[in-house]
Amino acid sequence: MKDKEMAVLEILKYPHPTLKKRSKEVERIDGGIKRLIHDMTETMYQANGIGLAACQIGVPQRVIVLDVSPIDTQQSFFAMINPEIISQEGEIDHEEGCLSVPECFEKVKRKEKIRVKGISPEGKEMEVAGEGILAFALQHEIDHLNGVLILDKLSHLKREIYRNKLKKEKRKEEKP
Ligand SMILES: [Zn+2]
């Protein structure tokens, strides 16, 4: 695919309704899915993100892209279709942010180690096992596919504080 055919797309922000929906399984890997993966990849790098789920660019399908190499240099880019957690171990509080939830950096409960299976863009079965940032990022992106944001993992109070902050910012923007 030529570069000029790729597109950097807008990342949906909370409270966009698409972010709350459960994304659908991909049934067939066709040109559309490959194009989607290219666009997601471009969009993720443009935003300096380490992961992105398709619903974040408005496509409610179970596709994620990840590249945690800026944090863990042992890792590299991959895309996964229909990812599914098949085992998990340990629990840890991890501070994270989300491209769809600007200015929110909070500790959320994550598993320390996970194993995920899914399908590669070439249509082959693939498995990824990881700990640390790879495990956290995988859980974060799979949460997106289930309509779950980091905000949903916070206490009621912290969520309210964030919502109020957003409202205040919106009011500021609306003033001439
Ligand atoms: Zn996110």
Side-chain angles (χ1 to χ4, degrees):
M1 189 175 288
K2 287 180 213 125
D3 276 358
K4 65 173 183 193
E5 289 170 354
M6 294 188 199
V8 171
L9 299 172
E10 191 199 339
I11 296 175
L12 302 183
K13 305 282 188 316
Y14 171 84
H16 196 288
T18 300
L19 296 170
K20 291 299 294 171
K21 282 188 196 142
R22 186 187 184 277
S23 295
K24 291 201 171 73
E25 314 283 330
V26 172
E27 281 170 13
R28 202 161 50 94
I29 299 170
D30 54 14
I33 292 292
K34 290 192 172 152
R35 162 88 201 227
L36 171 67
I37 290 171
H38 280 282
D39 289 348
M40 287 169 67
T41 307
E42 284 281 282
T43 304
M44 172 181 76
Y45 284 132
Q46 179 75 25
N48 292 318
I50 58 168
L52 198 73
C55 62
Q56 289 180 278
I57 54 166
V59 182
Q61 299 222 53
R62 302 184 83 78
V63 180
I64 59 174
V65 293
L66 266 102
D67 186 351
V68 299
S69 62
I71 297 169
D72 179 351
T73 53
Q74 305 287 323
Q75 306 299 334
S76 53
F77 171 85
F78 67 93
M80 211 174 194
I81 297 161
N82 300 341
E84 213 182 302
I85 296 172
I86 49 175
S87 72
Q88 50 189 29
E89 223 181 282
E91 202 165 63
I92 197 164
D93 285 328
H94 177 246
E95 190 178 83
E96 52 197 72
C98 176
L99 295 172
S100 294
V101 189
E103 289 173 60
C104 177
F105 297 93
E106 293 285 350
K107 278 193 171 159
V108 295
K109 285 226 182 310
R110 293 291 183 204
K111 302 295 177 192
E112 280 181 283
K113 285 185 185 179
I114 64 164
R115 184 176 284 272
V116 176
K117 72 163 188 185
I119 310 203
S120 74
E122 293 74 39
K124 297 201 173 81
E125 266 187 43
M126 65 185 279
E127 238 180 74
V128 177
E131 53 186 305
I133 189 63
L134 178 59
F136 306 143
L138 275 164
Q139 291 168 78
H140 181 114
E141 301 314 328
I142 292 171
D143 272 353
H144 272 302
L145 302 182
N146 296 322
V148 174
L149 295 172
I150 51 172
L151 279 179
D152 299 310
K153 295 183 164 280
L154 303 183
S155 68
H156 182 71
L157 178 65
K158 281 193 172 160
R159 203 156 49 231
E160 280 309 303
I161 292 171
Y162 182 74
R163 283 198 186 126
N164 287 334
K165 193 165 96 176
L166 273 192
K167 271 186 219 153
K168 251 184 237 159
E169 274 168 23
K170 220 176 168 195
R171 249 179 266 143
K172 250 188 262 163
E173 279 169 23
E174 280 162 5
K175 275 185 198 157

